[in-house]
Amino acid sequence: MRKITLLLLAIILMSCNTVAQDKKEKKVFPITKNKAEWKSTLTKEQYKVLRQAATESPWSSSFNSNHEEGVYVCSACDTPLFKSEHKYESGSGWPSFDREIKGNVGFDIDYNLGYARTEEHCATCGGHLGHVFQDGPRETTGKRHCINGVALKFIPKKK
């Protein structure tokens, strides 16, 4: 009787892992392209980060040391994402901001490393930008938007 109970319990627990849980809901974004179109408009590194959610190497972005005034836009579709006034030196190796331009950045939860992280993507094209963490400057938002520099283009402020 005990073996049957354990077998039934195992079957019930395994049935809780349905296909619906494994499928990530596909979002539709205002700008959509197929794989070939994205590959033709993005560099190899941009494609890996923006379309395949890769992470660039730390300290590889020239934006880490950029202190000019302006706006950081999505390198795939030019949507304004972050203002330079909200950029700060986090010491993480990636460009970091304490806030996004509201409505232009979307958020999802990913478990790619085995635990929940808040992923950020461009709300216009769906391109992966990076992740947001709760260890940013306490005097402002407390958030650290840790962004792959290759996902960004910088538009300097006109003087």
Side-chain angles (χ1 to χ4, degrees):
M1 183 67 168
R2 186 176 178 146
K3 288 183 181 179
I4 293 173
T5 304
L6 287 174
L7 179 62
L8 288 174
L9 181 60
I11 291 170
I12 291 169
L13 289 174
M14 290 176 71
S15 69
C16 290
N17 188 16
T18 66
V19 174
Q21 290 173 332
D22 292 337
K23 288 185 180 177
K24 191 174 181 180
E25 192 176 306
K26 183 130 177 141
K27 293 182 180 181
V28 178
F29 295 97
I31 294 177
T32 57
K33 297 180 182 183
N34 65 36
K35 186 177 180 177
E37 290 171 321
W38 282 122
K39 282 189 167 189
S40 73
T41 60
L42 300 171
T43 67
K44 191 175 182 178
E45 187 68 19
Q46 286 173 327
Y47 184 83
K48 284 182 188 176
V49 169
L50 288 161
R51 308 316 309 167
Q52 297 178 319
T55 300
E56 69 185 1
S57 298
W59 307 108
S60 63
S61 175
S62 62
F63 293 140
N64 284 330
S65 58
N66 183 23
H67 301 288
E68 289 184 64
E69 287 185 47
V71 176
Y72 292 86
V73 302
C74 176
S75 62
C77 70
D78 294 330
T79 297
L81 303 170
F82 302 96
K83 295 179 181 178
S84 63
E85 64 198 68
H86 300 133
K87 184 176 178 289
Y88 72 98
E89 301 295 330
S90 68
S92 67
W94 290 274
S96 298
F97 304 86
D98 69 355
R99 70 197 78 175
E100 79 283 4
I101 295 176
K102 298 284 183 211
N104 292 356
V105 175
F107 303 92
D108 285 314
I109 302 298
D110 83 40
Y111 295 92
N112 296 343
L113 296 180
Y115 59 91
R117 295 184 303 167
T118 303
E119 177 195 9
E120 297 184 76
H121 60 267
C122 173
T124 303
C125 72
H128 170 78
L129 301 172
H131 293 84
V132 62
F133 302 98
Q134 301 300 319
D135 61 0
R138 282 186 258 166
E139 63 276 2
T140 60
T141 64
K143 294 183 180 183
R144 173 173 54 99
H145 296 262
C146 187
I147 307 300
N148 289 286
V150 73
L152 303 172
K153 286 195 293 192
F154 181 72
I155 310 297
K157 182 178 178 179
K158 292 181 179 157
K159 297 179 184 202

